[in-house]
Coordinates of all heavy atoms in Angstrom, one line a residue:
M1 N -67.1 -60.8 310.7 CA -67.2 -60.8 312.2 C -68.4 -61.7 312.6 O -69.4 -61.6 312.1 CB -67.3 -59.4 312.7 CG -67.1 -59.2 314.2 SD -67.4 -57.5 314.8 CE -66.5 -56.5 313.7
S2 N -68.2 -62.5 313.7 CA -69.2 -63.3 314.2 C -69.3 -63.3 315.7 O -68.2 -63.1 316.3 CB -69.1 -64.7 313.7 OG -68.0 -65.3 314.2
A3 N -70.5 -63.4 316.2 CA -70.6 -63.5 317.7 C -70.2 -64.8 318.2 O -70.4 -65.8 317.6 CB -72.0 -63.2 318.1
A4 N -69.4 -64.8 319.3 CA -69.0 -66.1 319.9 C -69.1 -66.0 321.4 O -69.3 -64.9 321.9 CB -67.6 -66.4 319.5
T5 N -69.1 -67.2 322.0 CA -69.2 -67.2 323.5 C -67.8 -67.5 324.1 O -67.1 -68.4 323.6 CB -70.2 -68.3 324.0 OG1 -71.5 -68.0 323.4 CG2 -70.3 -68.3 325.5
C6 N -67.4 -66.6 325.0 CA -66.0 -66.8 325.6 C -66.1 -68.0 326.5 O -66.9 -68.1 327.4 CB -65.7 -65.6 326.4 SG -64.2 -65.8 327.3
P7 N -65.2 -69.0 326.3 CA -65.2 -70.2 327.1 C -64.7 -69.9 328.5 O -65.0 -70.7 329.4 CB -64.2 -71.1 326.4 CG -63.3 -70.2 325.6 CD -64.2 -69.0 325.3
S8 N -64.1 -68.8 328.8 CA -63.6 -68.6 330.1 C -64.7 -67.9 331.0 O -64.9 -68.4 332.1 CB -62.4 -67.6 330.0 OG -61.3 -68.2 329.5
C9 N -65.4 -66.9 330.5 CA -66.4 -66.2 331.3 C -67.8 -66.4 330.9 O -68.7 -66.0 331.6 CB -66.0 -64.7 331.4 SG -66.2 -63.9 329.8
G10 N -68.0 -66.9 329.6 CA -69.3 -67.1 329.2 C -70.0 -65.9 328.5 O -71.1 -66.0 328.0
D11 N -69.3 -64.7 328.5 CA -69.8 -63.5 327.8 C -69.7 -63.7 326.3 O -68.9 -64.5 325.8 CB -68.9 -62.3 328.2 CG -69.3 -61.7 329.5 OD1 -70.2 -62.2 330.2 OD2 -68.6 -60.7 329.9
R12 N -70.6 -63.0 325.7 CA -70.6 -63.0 324.2 C -69.6 -62.0 323.7 O -69.4 -60.9 324.4 CB -72.0 -62.6 323.6 CG -73.1 -63.6 324.1 CD -73.1 -64.9 323.4 NE -73.5 -64.8 322.0 CZ -73.3 -65.7 321.1 NH1 -72.7 -66.8 321.4 NH2 -73.7 -65.5 319.8
F13 N -68.9 -62.2 322.7 CA -67.9 -61.2 322.2 C -67.9 -61.4 320.7 O -68.3 -62.4 320.1 CB -66.5 -61.4 322.8 CG -65.8 -62.7 322.3 CD1 -64.8 -62.6 321.4 CD2 -66.1 -63.9 322.9 CE1 -64.1 -63.8 321.0 CE2 -65.4 -65.1 322.5 CZ -64.5 -65.0 321.5
D14 N -67.4 -60.3 319.9 CA -67.3 -60.2 318.5 C -66.0 -61.0 318.2 O -64.9 -60.5 318.5 CB -67.3 -58.8 318.0 CG -68.7 -58.2 318.1 OD1 -69.7 -58.9 318.0 OD2 -68.8 -57.0 318.3
Q15 N -66.2 -62.1 317.5 CA -65.0 -62.8 317.1 C -64.6 -62.4 315.7 O -65.0 -62.9 314.7 CB -65.2 -64.3 317.1 CG -64.0 -65.2 316.9 CD -64.3 -66.7 317.0 OE1 -65.4 -67.1 316.6 NE2 -63.4 -67.4 317.5
D16 N -63.8 -61.3 315.6 CA -63.4 -60.7 314.3 C -62.2 -61.4 313.7 O -61.7 -61.0 312.6 CB -63.2 -59.2 314.4 CG -62.3 -58.8 315.6 OD1 -61.7 -59.7 316.1 OD2 -62.1 -57.5 315.8
A17 N -61.6 -62.3 314.4 CA -60.6 -63.1 313.8 C -60.6 -64.5 314.4 O -61.0 -64.7 315.5 CB -59.2 -62.5 314.1
S18 N -60.3 -65.5 313.5 CA -60.6 -66.9 314.0 C -59.7 -67.3 315.1 O -60.0 -68.1 315.9 CB -60.4 -67.9 312.8 OG -59.1 -67.7 312.3
W19 N -58.5 -66.6 315.3 CA -57.6 -67.0 316.3 C -58.0 -66.4 317.7 O -57.5 -66.8 318.7 CB -56.2 -66.4 316.1 CG -56.1 -65.0 315.7 CD1 -56.1 -64.4 314.5 CD2 -55.9 -63.9 316.7 NE1 -56.0 -63.0 314.6 CE2 -55.8 -62.8 315.9 CE3 -55.8 -63.9 318.1 CZ2 -55.7 -61.5 316.5 CZ3 -55.6 -62.6 318.7 CH2 -55.6 -61.5 317.9
K20 N -59.0 -65.5 317.7 CA -59.5 -64.9 319.0 C -60.4 -65.9 319.6 O -61.6 -66.1 319.1 CB -60.2 -63.6 318.8 CG -59.2 -62.5 318.4 CD -59.9 -61.2 318.3 CE -58.9 -60.1 317.9 NZ -59.6 -58.8 317.8
K21 N -60.0 -66.6 320.6 CA -60.8 -67.7 321.2 C -61.6 -67.2 322.4 O -62.5 -67.9 322.9 CB -59.9 -68.9 321.7 CG -59.1 -69.4 320.4 CD -59.9 -70.1 319.4 CE -59.1 -70.6 318.3 NZ -59.9 -70.8 317.0
T22 N -61.1 -66.1 323.1 CA -61.8 -65.6 324.3 C -62.1 -64.1 324.0 O -61.6 -63.5 323.2 CB -60.9 -65.7 325.5 OG1 -59.7 -65.0 325.3 CG2 -60.5 -67.2 325.7
C23 N -62.9 -63.6 325.0 CA -63.2 -62.1 324.9 C -61.9 -61.4 325.3 O -61.0 -61.9 325.9 CB -64.4 -61.8 325.9 SG -63.9 -62.0 327.6
T24 N -61.9 -60.1 325.0 CA -60.7 -59.3 325.2 C -60.3 -59.2 326.7 O -59.1 -59.4 327.0 CB -60.9 -57.8 324.7 OG1 -61.1 -58.0 323.2 CG2 -59.6 -57.0 324.8
P25 N -61.2 -59.0 327.6 CA -60.8 -58.9 329.0 C -60.2 -60.3 329.5 O -59.2 -60.3 330.2 CB -62.2 -58.7 329.8 CG -63.0 -58.0 328.8 CD -62.6 -58.6 327.5
C26 N -60.8 -61.4 329.1 CA -60.2 -62.8 329.4 C -58.8 -62.9 328.8 O -57.9 -63.5 329.3 CB -61.1 -63.9 329.1 SG -62.6 -64.0 330.1
W27 N -58.7 -62.4 327.5 CA -57.4 -62.6 326.8 C -56.3 -61.8 327.6 O -55.2 -62.2 327.9 CB -57.5 -62.0 325.4 CG -56.3 -62.1 324.6 CD1 -55.7 -63.2 324.0 CD2 -55.3 -61.0 324.4 NE1 -54.6 -62.8 323.4 CE2 -54.3 -61.6 323.7 CE3 -55.3 -59.7 324.8 CZ2 -53.2 -60.8 323.2 CZ3 -54.2 -58.9 324.4 CH2 -53.2 -59.5 323.7
K28 N -56.7 -60.5 328.0 CA -55.8 -59.7 328.8 C -55.4 -60.4 330.1 O -54.2 -60.4 330.5 CB -56.4 -58.3 329.0 CG -56.4 -57.4 327.8 CD -57.0 -56.1 328.1 CE -56.9 -55.1 326.9 NZ -57.6 -53.9 327.1
L29 N -56.4 -61.0 330.8 CA -56.1 -61.7 332.0 C -55.1 -62.8 331.8 O -54.2 -63.1 332.5 CB -57.4 -62.2 332.6 CG -58.2 -61.2 333.4 CD1 -59.5 -61.9 333.9 CD2 -57.5 -60.8 334.7
S30 N -55.4 -63.6 330.7 CA -54.4 -64.7 330.4 C -53.0 -64.2 330.1 O -52.1 -64.9 330.5 CB -55.0 -65.6 329.3 OG -54.9 -64.9 328.0
K31 N -53.0 -63.1 329.4 CA -51.6 -62.6 329.1 C -51.0 -62.1 330.4 O -49.7 -62.3 330.5 CB -51.8 -61.4 328.1 CG -52.1 -61.8 326.7 CD -50.9 -62.6 326.1 CE -51.3 -63.6 325.2 NZ -50.3 -64.6 324.7
R32 N -51.7 -61.5 331.3 CA -51.2 -61.0 332.5 C -50.6 -62.2 333.3 O -49.5 -62.3 333.9 CB -52.2 -60.2 333.3 CG -51.6 -59.5 334.5 CD -52.6 -58.5 335.1 NE -53.1 -57.6 334.2 CZ -54.4 -57.2 334.2 NH1 -55.3 -57.7 335.0 NH2 -54.8 -56.4 333.2
A33 N -51.5 -63.3 333.3 CA -51.0 -64.5 334.0 C -49.8 -65.1 333.5 O -48.9 -65.6 334.2 CB -52.2 -65.6 334.0
E34 N -49.7 -65.1 332.1 CA -48.5 -65.6 331.5 C -47.3 -64.8 331.8 O -46.2 -65.2 332.1 CB -48.6 -65.6 329.9 CG -49.5 -66.7 329.4 CD -49.6 -66.6 327.9 OE1 -48.9 -65.7 327.2 OE2 -50.5 -67.2 327.3
H35 N -47.5 -63.5 331.9 CA -46.4 -62.5 332.3 C -46.0 -62.8 333.8 O -44.7 -62.9 334.0 CB -46.8 -61.1 332.1 CG -45.8 -60.1 332.5 ND1 -44.7 -59.9 331.7 CD2 -45.6 -59.2 333.4 CE1 -43.8 -59.0 332.2 NE2 -44.4 -58.5 333.3
V36 N -46.9 -63.0 334.7 CA -46.6 -63.3 336.1 C -45.8 -64.6 336.1 O -44.8 -64.7 336.8 CB -47.9 -63.3 336.9 CG1 -47.6 -63.9 338.3 CG2 -48.4 -61.9 337.1
E37 N -46.3 -65.6 335.3 CA -45.6 -66.9 335.4 C -44.2 -66.8 334.8 O -43.2 -67.3 335.4 CB -46.4 -67.9 334.5 CG -45.8 -69.3 334.6 CD -46.6 -70.3 333.7 OE1 -47.5 -69.9 332.9 OE2 -46.3 -71.5 333.8
L38 N -44.0 -66.0 333.8 CA -42.7 -65.8 333.3 C -41.8 -65.1 334.3 O -40.6 -65.6 334.5 CB -42.8 -64.8 332.0 CG -41.4 -64.3 331.5 CD1 -40.7 -65.5 330.9 CD2 -41.6 -63.3 330.4
L39 N -42.3 -64.1 335.0 CA -41.5 -63.5 336.1 C -41.1 -64.5 337.2 O -40.0 -64.5 337.7 CB -42.2 -62.3 336.7 CG -42.4 -61.1 335.8 CD1 -43.2 -60.0 336.4 CD2 -41.1 -60.6 335.2
E40 N -42.1 -65.4 337.5 CA -41.8 -66.4 338.6 C -40.8 -67.3 338.1 O -39.9 -67.8 338.8 CB -43.1 -67.1 338.9 CG -44.1 -66.2 339.8 CD -45.5 -66.9 340.0 OE1 -45.7 -67.9 339.3 OE2 -46.2 -66.3 340.7
L41 N -40.9 -67.7 336.8 CA -39.9 -68.7 336.3 C -38.5 -68.1 336.2 O -37.6 -68.8 336.5 CB -40.3 -69.2 334.9 CG -41.6 -70.1 334.9 CD1 -42.1 -70.4 333.5 CD2 -41.2 -71.5 335.5
R42 N -38.4 -66.8 335.8 CA -37.2 -66.2 335.8 C -36.5 -66.2 337.2 O -35.3 -66.5 337.3 CB -37.3 -64.7 335.4 CG -37.3 -64.5 333.9 CD -37.3 -63.1 333.6 NE -37.6 -62.8 332.2 CZ -37.9 -61.6 331.7 NH1 -38.2 -60.6 332.4 NH2 -38.0 -61.6 330.4
E43 N -37.3 -65.9 338.2 CA -36.8 -65.9 339.6 C -36.4 -67.3 340.0 O -35.3 -67.5 340.6 CB -37.9 -65.4 340.5 CG -37.5 -65.3 342.0 CD -36.4 -64.4 342.3 OE1 -36.1 -63.5 341.5 OE2 -35.6 -64.6 343.3
E44 N -37.1 -68.3 339.6 CA -36.8 -69.7 339.9 C -35.5 -70.1 339.3 O -34.6 -70.7 339.9 CB -37.9 -70.6 339.5 CG -37.7 -72.0 340.0 CD -38.9 -73.0 339.7 OE1 -39.9 -72.4 339.3 OE2 -38.6 -74.2 339.8
V45 N -35.3 -69.7 338.0 CA -34.0 -69.9 337.3 C -32.9 -69.3 338.0 O -31.8 -69.9 338.2 CB -34.1 -69.5 335.8 CG1 -32.8 -69.5 335.2 CG2 -35.1 -70.4 335.0
R46 N -33.1 -68.1 338.4 CA -32.0 -67.3 339.1 C -31.6 -68.1 340.4 O -30.4 -68.3 340.7 CB -32.5 -65.9 339.5 CG -31.3 -65.0 339.9 CD -31.8 -63.5 340.1 NE -32.4 -63.0 338.9 CZ -33.6 -62.5 338.8 NH1 -34.5 -62.6 339.8 NH2 -34.1 -62.0 337.6
E47 N -32.6 -68.5 341.2 CA -32.3 -69.2 342.5 C -31.6 -70.5 342.1 O -30.7 -70.9 342.9 CB -33.7 -69.5 343.2 CG -34.3 -68.2 343.8 CD -35.7 -68.4 344.3 OE1 -36.2 -69.6 344.3 OE2 -36.3 -67.5 344.7
L48 N -32.1 -71.2 341.1 CA -31.4 -72.6 340.8 C -30.0 -72.4 340.4 O -29.1 -73.1 340.7 CB -32.2 -73.3 339.7 CG -33.6 -73.9 340.3 CD1 -34.4 -74.4 339.1 CD2 -33.4 -75.0 341.3
R49 N -29.8 -71.3 339.5 CA -28.3 -71.0 339.2 C -27.5 -70.7 340.3 O -26.3 -71.2 340.4 CB -28.4 -69.8 338.2 CG -28.8 -70.2 336.8 CD -28.6 -69.0 335.8 NE -29.0 -69.4 334.5 CZ -29.5 -68.5 333.5 NH1 -29.6 -67.3 333.9 NH2 -29.8 -68.9 332.4
D50 N -28.0 -69.9 341.3 CA -27.2 -69.6 342.5 C -26.9 -70.8 343.2 O -25.8 -71.0 343.7 CB -28.0 -68.6 343.3 CG -28.1 -67.2 342.7 OD1 -27.3 -66.9 341.7 OD2 -28.8 -66.4 343.2
A51 N -28.0 -71.7 343.4 CA -27.8 -72.9 344.1 C -26.7 -73.8 343.5 O -25.9 -74.4 344.1 CB -29.1 -73.7 344.3
F52 N -26.8 -73.9 342.1 CA -25.8 -74.7 341.4 C -24.4 -74.2 341.6 O -23.5 -74.9 341.7 CB -26.3 -74.7 339.9 CG -25.4 -75.6 339.0 CD1 -25.4 -77.0 339.2 CD2 -24.7 -75.1 338.0 CE1 -24.7 -77.8 338.5 CE2 -23.9 -75.9 337.2 CZ -23.9 -77.3 337.5
A53 N -24.3 -72.9 341.5 CA -23.0 -72.3 341.7 C -22.4 -72.6 343.1 O -21.2 -72.8 343.2 CB -23.0 -70.7 341.5
E54 N -23.3 -72.6 344.1 CA -22.8 -73.0 345.4 C -22.3 -74.4 345.5 O -21.3 -74.7 346.1 CB -23.9 -72.7 346.4 CG -24.2 -71.3 346.9 CD -25.4 -71.1 347.8 OE1 -25.7 -72.1 348.5 OE2 -25.9 -70.1 347.8
V55 N -23.1 -75.3 344.8 CA -22.7 -76.7 344.8 C -21.3 -76.8 344.1 O -20.4 -77.5 344.7 CB -23.8 -77.5 344.1 CG1 -23.2 -78.9 343.8 CG2 -25.0 -77.6 344.9
R56 N -21.1 -76.1 343.0 CA -19.8 -76.2 342.3 C -18.7 -75.6 343.2 O -17.6 -76.2 343.2 CB -20.0 -75.5 341.0 CG -20.8 -76.1 340.0 CD -20.7 -75.5 338.6 NE -19.3 -75.8 338.2 CZ -19.0 -76.1 336.9 NH1 -19.9 -76.2 336.1 NH2 -17.7 -76.3 336.6
A57 N -19.0 -74.5 343.9 CA -18.0 -73.9 344.7 C -17.6 -74.9 345.8 O -16.4 -74.8 346.3 CB -18.5 -72.6 345.3
A58 N -18.5 -75.7 346.3 CA -18.3 -76.6 347.4 C -17.5 -77.8 346.9 O -17.1 -78.7 347.7 CB -19.5 -77.0 348.1
D59 N -17.2 -77.9 345.6 CA -16.4 -79.0 345.0 C -15.0 -79.0 345.6 O -14.6 -78.1 346.3 CB -16.4 -78.7 343.5 CG -16.7 -80.0 342.8 OD1 -17.2 -80.9 343.3 OD2 -16.4 -79.9 341.5
L60 N -14.3 -80.1 345.3 CA -12.9 -80.2 345.8 C -12.1 -79.1 345.1 O -12.2 -78.8 343.9 CB -12.4 -81.5 345.2 CG -12.9 -82.8 345.9 CD1 -12.4 -84.0 345.2 CD2 -12.4 -82.8 347.3
P61 N -11.3 -78.4 346.0 CA -10.4 -77.4 345.4 C -9.4 -78.0 344.5 O -9.0 -79.2 344.7 CB -9.7 -76.8 346.7 CG -10.5 -77.2 347.8 CD -11.3 -78.5 347.4
P62 N -9.0 -77.4 343.4 CA -8.1 -78.0 342.4 C -6.9 -78.6 343.0 O -6.4 -79.7 342.6 CB -7.8 -76.8 341.4 CG -9.0 -75.9 341.5 CD -9.4 -76.0 343.0
D63 N -6.3 -77.9 343.9 CA -5.0 -78.4 344.5 C -5.2 -79.7 345.3 O -4.4 -80.6 345.3 CB -4.2 -77.3 345.3 CG -5.1 -76.9 346.5 OD1 -6.4 -76.8 346.4 OD2 -4.5 -76.5 347.5
M64 N -6.4 -79.7 345.9 CA -6.7 -81.0 346.7 C -7.0 -82.1 345.8 O -6.6 -83.3 346.0 CB -7.9 -80.7 347.6 CG -8.3 -81.8 348.5 SD -7.0 -82.3 349.7 CE -6.9 -81.0 350.9
L65 N -7.7 -81.8 344.7 CA -8.0 -82.9 343.7 C -6.6 -83.5 343.1 O -6.5 -84.7 343.0 CB -8.8 -82.3 342.6 CG -9.4 -83.2 341.5 CD1 -10.1 -84.4 342.1 CD2 -10.3 -82.4 340.6
A66 N -5.7 -82.5 342.8 CA -4.5 -83.0 342.2 C -3.7 -83.9 343.2 O -3.1 -84.9 342.9 CB -3.6 -81.8 341.8
R67 N -3.8 -83.4 344.6 CA -3.1 -84.2 345.6 C -3.8 -85.6 345.7 O -3.0 -86.6 345.8 CB -3.2 -83.4 346.9 CG -2.5 -84.0 348.1 CD -2.5 -83.1 349.3 NE -1.8 -81.9 349.1 CZ -2.4 -80.6 349.2 NH1 -3.6 -80.5 349.6 NH2 -1.7 -79.6 349.0
L68 N -5.0 -85.7 345.7 CA -5.8 -87.0 345.8 C -5.5 -87.9 344.7 O -5.3 -89.1 344.8 CB -7.3 -86.7 346.0 CG -7.7 -86.1 347.3 CD1 -9.2 -85.7 347.2 CD2 -7.5 -87.1 348.4
I69 N -5.3 -87.3 343.4 CA -5.0 -88.1 342.3 C -3.6 -88.7 342.4 O -3.4 -89.9 342.2 CB -5.1 -87.3 341.0 CG1 -6.6 -86.9 340.7 CG2 -4.4 -88.0 339.8 CD1 -6.8 -85.9 339.6
R70 N -2.6 -87.9 342.9 CA -1.3 -88.4 343.1 C -1.3 -89.5 344.2 O -0.7 -90.6 344.0 CB -0.4 -87.3 343.6 CG 0.1 -86.4 342.4 CD 1.2 -85.5 342.8 NE 1.0 -84.7 344.0 CZ 0.4 -83.5 344.0 NH1 0.0 -83.0 342.8 NH2 0.2 -82.8 345.0
L71 N -2.1 -89.3 345.3 CA -2.1 -90.3 346.4 C -2.7 -91.6 346.0 O -2.3 -92.6 346.5 CB -2.8 -89.7 347.6 CG -2.0 -88.6 348.4 CD1 -2.9 -88.0 349.4 CD2 -0.8 -89.3 349.1
C72 N -3.7 -91.5 345.2 CA -4.5 -92.7 344.9 C -3.9 -93.5 343.7 O -4.4 -94.6 343.4 CB -5.9 -92.3 344.4 SG -7.0 -91.8 345.8
H73 N -3.0 -92.9 343.0 CA -2.5 -93.5 341.8 C -2.2 -95.1 341.9 O -1.5 -95.5 342.9 CB -1.3 -92.9 341.2 CG -1.1 -93.1 339.7 ND1 -0.6 -94.3 339.2 CD2 -1.4 -92.3 338.7 CE1 -0.6 -94.2 338.0 NE2 -1.1 -93.1 337.6
P74 N -2.7 -95.9 341.0 CA -2.6 -97.3 341.2 C -1.1 -97.8 341.2 O -0.8 -98.8 341.9 CB -3.3 -97.9 339.9 CG -4.2 -96.8 339.4 CD -3.6 -95.5 339.9
D75 N -0.2 -97.0 340.6 CA 1.2 -97.3 340.6 C 1.7 -97.4 342.1 O 2.7 -98.1 342.4 CB 2.0 -96.3 339.9 CG 1.8 -96.5 338.4 OD1 1.2 -97.5 338.0 OD2 2.3 -95.7 337.6
K76 N 1.1 -96.5 343.0 CA 1.6 -96.5 344.4 C 0.8 -97.5 345.2 O 1.1 -97.5 346.4 CB 1.3 -95.1 344.9 CG 2.1 -94.0 344.3 CD 1.9 -92.7 344.9 CE 2.9 -91.7 344.2 NZ 2.6 -90.3 344.6
H77 N 0.0 -98.3 344.6 CA -0.8 -99.3 345.4 C -0.9 -100.6 344.7 O -1.9 -101.3 344.6 CB -2.3 -98.8 345.6 CG -2.3 -97.4 346.3 ND1 -2.2 -97.3 347.7 CD2 -2.4 -96.2 345.9 CE1 -2.3 -96.1 348.0 NE2 -2.4 -95.3 346.9
N78 N 0.3 -101.0 344.1 CA 0.5 -102.2 343.5 C -0.7 -102.6 342.4 O -1.1 -103.7 342.3 CB 0.5 -103.4 344.4 CG 1.8 -103.3 345.3 OD1 2.8 -103.0 344.7 ND2 1.7 -103.7 346.5
G79 N -1.1 -101.5 341.8 CA -2.2 -101.7 340.7 C -3.5 -102.1 341.2 O -4.3 -102.7 340.5
S80 N -3.8 -101.8 342.5 CA -5.0 -102.3 343.1 C -6.2 -101.8 342.4 O -6.3 -100.7 341.9 CB -5.1 -102.0 344.6 OG -5.8 -100.8 344.8
E81 N -7.3 -102.6 342.4 CA -8.5 -102.2 341.7 C -9.1 -101.0 342.4 O -9.6 -100.1 341.7 CB -9.5 -103.4 341.7 CG -10.7 -103.1 340.8 CD -11.8 -104.1 340.9 OE1 -11.5 -105.2 341.4 OE2 -12.9 -103.8 340.5
A82 N -9.1 -101.0 343.7 CA -9.6 -99.9 344.5 C -9.0 -98.5 344.1 O -9.6 -97.5 343.8 CB -9.5 -100.1 346.0
A83 N -7.6 -98.6 344.0 CA -6.9 -97.4 343.6 C -7.2 -97.0 342.1 O -7.4 -95.8 341.8 CB -5.4 -97.7 343.7
T84 N -7.4 -97.9 341.3 CA -7.7 -97.7 339.9 C -9.1 -97.0 339.8 O -9.3 -96.0 339.1 CB -7.8 -99.0 339.0 OG1 -6.5 -99.6 339.2 CG2 -8.1 -98.7 337.6
V85 N -10.1 -97.6 340.5 CA -11.4 -97.0 340.5 C -11.5 -95.6 341.0 O -12.1 -94.7 340.5 CB -12.5 -98.0 341.2 CG1 -13.8 -97.3 341.4 CG2 -12.6 -99.3 340.5
A86 N -10.8 -95.5 342.2 CA -10.8 -94.1 342.8 C -10.1 -93.1 341.9 O -10.6 -92.0 341.8 CB -10.1 -94.2 344.2
T87 N -9.0 -93.5 341.3 CA -8.3 -92.5 340.4 C -9.1 -92.2 339.2 O -9.1 -91.0 338.8 CB -6.9 -93.2 340.0 OG1 -6.1 -93.5 341.1 CG2 -6.2 -92.3 339.0
Q88 N -9.8 -93.2 338.6 CA -10.6 -92.9 337.5 C -11.8 -91.9 337.9 O -12.0 -91.0 337.1 CB -11.3 -94.2 336.9 CG -10.3 -95.1 336.1 CD -10.8 -96.4 335.8 OE1 -11.8 -96.9 336.4 NE2 -10.2 -97.1 334.9
W89 N -12.3 -92.1 339.0 CA -13.3 -91.2 339.5 C -12.8 -89.8 339.7 O -13.4 -88.8 339.2 CB -13.9 -91.7 340.8 CG -15.1 -90.9 341.3 CD1 -16.4 -91.1 340.9 CD2 -15.0 -89.9 342.3 NE1 -17.2 -90.1 341.6 CE2 -16.4 -89.4 342.4 CE3 -14.0 -89.3 343.0 CZ2 -16.7 -88.4 343.3 CZ3 -14.4 -88.3 343.9 CH2 -15.7 -87.8 344.0
L90 N -11.6 -89.7 340.3 CA -11.0 -88.4 340.5 C -10.6 -87.7 339.2 O -10.9 -86.5 339.0 CB -9.8 -88.5 341.4 CG -10.0 -88.9 342.8 CD1 -8.8 -89.3 343.5 CD2 -10.7 -87.7 343.5
L91 N -10.1 -88.5 338.2 CA -9.8 -87.9 336.9 C -11.0 -87.5 336.2 O -11.0 -86.4 335.5 CB -9.1 -89.0 336.0 CG -7.7 -89.3 336.6 CD1 -7.1 -90.5 335.7 CD2 -6.7 -88.1 336.4
A92 N -12.1 -88.2 336.4 CA -13.4 -87.8 335.7 C -13.9 -86.5 336.3 O -14.4 -85.6 335.5 CB -14.5 -88.9 335.9
R93 N -13.7 -86.3 337.5 CA -14.0 -85.0 338.2 C -13.2 -83.9 337.6 O -13.7 -82.7 337.4 CB -13.9 -85.1 339.7 CG -15.0 -86.0 340.3 CD -15.0 -85.9 341.8 NE -15.6 -84.6 342.1 CZ -16.6 -84.4 342.9 NH1 -17.1 -85.5 343.6 NH2 -17.1 -83.2 343.2
R94 N -11.9 -84.1 337.4 CA -11.0 -83.1 336.9 C -11.4 -82.8 335.5 O -11.5 -81.6 335.1 CB -9.6 -83.6 337.0 CG -8.6 -82.5 336.7 CD -7.1 -83.0 336.8 NE -6.8 -83.9 335.9 CZ -5.6 -84.5 335.8 NH1 -4.7 -84.3 336.7 NH2 -5.3 -85.5 334.8
E95 N -11.8 -83.8 334.7 CA -12.2 -83.6 333.3 C -13.5 -82.8 333.2 O -13.6 -81.8 332.5 CB -12.6 -85.0 332.7 CG -11.4 -85.7 332.2 CD -10.7 -85.1 331.0 OE1 -11.3 -84.7 330.0 OE2 -9.5 -84.8 331.1
A96 N -14.5 -83.1 334.2 CA -15.7 -82.4 334.2 C -15.6 -80.9 334.5 O -16.4 -80.1 334.2 CB -16.7 -83.0 335.2
R97 N -14.5 -80.6 335.2 CA -14.3 -79.2 335.6 C -13.8 -78.3 334.5 O -14.0 -77.1 334.4 CB -13.2 -79.3 336.7 CG -12.8 -78.0 337.3 CD -12.0 -78.2 338.4 NE -12.7 -78.6 339.7 CZ -12.2 -78.9 340.8 NH1 -10.9 -78.9 340.9 NH2 -13.0 -79.2 341.8
T98 N -13.1 -79.0 333.4 CA -12.5 -78.2 332.4 C -13.5 -78.0 331.2 O -14.6 -78.5 331.2 CB -11.2 -78.8 331.8 OG1 -11.6 -80.1 331.4 CG2 -10.2 -78.9 332.8
Ligands
ZN101 ZN1 -64.3 -63.9 328.7

């Protein structure tokens, strides 16, 4: 066991293990801060998941997507490039959904 100076508060403390870098009160404070941060991060993840679910719900309804794919198909537009690009984009959205 050796005496050490806590870098957080400047108090002297018994460093009875090399991994103990701060005094016990400062260690407890840092653990409490980590716990608070964890709770805040959990809340943030929950909010972001909810927001993401809302964005997905606002997506094109499947029946509307199928209708748009049929309407845009290049075969119905003399193979136009615009129809091809639009159809590819719609198909990619349908793919991403599954
Ligand atoms: Zn301390």
